[in-house]
Amino acid sequence: GAVIQRHVFVSAGCVIGKAVKVNVGAKIMHDSIIGCFSTIAHQAVVLGGVTVGRNSYIGANATILPRVVIGDGVTVGAGAVGTKDIRDGETVKGVPAK
């Protein structure tokens, strides 16, 4: 039930949950986990070893740095750079994301 749009790159060892949407041009790098019902927006980059929880949204052109853990129900704003773990239910934006 996942939707993987065109020009998406999913690297080795990734796990994509049920009903995930990965939008045009997004990149999910090695060993990352994308939880069920989450969205990776247009041109977002999820670097290696990242975990994205359930029902989370990674905005367009956002970048999540390696090994960051994103909780459930998180929203990461467009263009943000996630440099550290983000707790359940938080909304973050900016560079670095706060």
Side-chain angles (χ1 to χ4, degrees):
V3 176
I4 310 291
Q5 299 214 348
R6 66 188 176 98
H7 304 297
V8 166
F9 179 82
V10 179
S11 189
C14 292
V15 176
I16 307 293
K18 295 178 183 177
V20 166
K21 182 175 182 184
V22 185
N23 217 320
V24 175
K27 294 174 178 58
I28 302 172
M29 305 312 280
H30 67 89
D31 304 309
S32 290
I33 299 168
I34 310 300
C36 298
F37 309 106
S38 290
T39 297
I40 309 300
H42 177 79
Q43 295 290 328
V45 178
V46 175
L47 293 173
V50 169
T51 298
V52 176
R54 295 171 57 91
N55 297 309
S56 290
Y57 180 85
I58 309 301
N61 295 303
T63 299
I64 310 300
L65 296 185
R67 295 174 297 284
V68 168
V69 176
I70 295 175
D72 296 337
V74 167
T75 300
V76 176
V81 177
T83 61
K84 59 184 180 179
D85 294 354
I86 304 168
R87 293 184 301 244
D88 292 350
E90 287 188 335
T91 297
V92 298
K93 60 184 178 178
V95 180
K98 296 180 184 179

